[in-house]
Amino acid sequence: MSGSSIILEPKQMFQTLQDMEKATQDILKLIQDVSAVLEAVSILTFAIGFGELIKAAEAAINQVGNAVVAANNAFNSACRAVVNQLVEKFASEGAKSDYGSPPFVEISIKINVADHAQIYPPAMKAFHNR
């Protein structure tokens, strides 16, 4: 045997592809949830430098989302030739010819410009009393 191979019964292969498709959707939903939380936090602050931090998180989240979709689609593509040969035989059991995921829709988190000042009276009073 010259290389590695994975042998699955057809029904197991279809179930594996379906499970990966579902897991990909679940991960992308979680990514959207995290993004929503970051955006909610972002709206609450005008701190200098916080916008850059949020934008760095946004970039990392987008990389993860794209990687998850790419991994799912690579596995789907590797199985596609076999799937296409078997799909007619197992179509009645819900088999389909494509278990890929659509492209990841990248997020964009709105940030506030650091144009507000925060006044903390106890600190001002302490500074004044020096």
Side-chain angles (χ1 to χ4, degrees):
M1 188 184 246
S2 63
S4 307
S5 63
I6 299 172
I7 300 172
L8 293 174
E9 294 294 324
K11 288 181 185 179
Q12 288 177 316
M13 182 179 62
F14 290 128
Q15 186 61 50
T16 299
L17 289 167
Q18 197 169 20
D19 291 348
M20 284 191 64
E21 182 182 45
K22 174 74 170 90
T24 299
Q25 292 169 357
D26 291 346
I27 291 169
L28 296 179
K29 172 69 173 101
L30 290 171
I31 288 172
Q32 291 298 329
D33 292 348
V34 168
S35 302
V37 170
L38 285 175
E39 184 149 20
V41 169
S42 177
I43 291 169
L44 297 175
T45 184
F46 292 86
I48 294 172
F50 190 73
E52 290 83 5
L53 182 65
I54 289 292
K55 287 299 180 180
E58 173 189 276
I61 288 169
N62 285 329
Q63 285 180 331
V64 169
N66 284 312
V68 166
V69 169
N72 181 63
N73 290 344
F75 188 82
N76 180 55
S77 294
C79 296
R80 187 168 288 139
V82 175
V83 169
N84 287 336
Q85 292 174 17
L86 295 172
V87 76
E88 286 184 28
K89 182 177 180 181
F90 292 97
S92 63
E93 297 178 34
K96 57 185 184 176
S97 60
D98 186 7
Y99 291 86
S101 295
F104 177 68
V105 178
E106 292 194 349
I107 61 153
S108 178
I109 301 173
K110 180 183 179 283
I111 58 172
N112 290 324
V113 177
D115 63 355
H116 286 61
Q118 180 178 5
I119 299 172
Y120 187 60
M124 292 178 68
K125 189 173 186 176
F127 182 76
H128 184 306
N129 291 335
R130 285 188 189 179

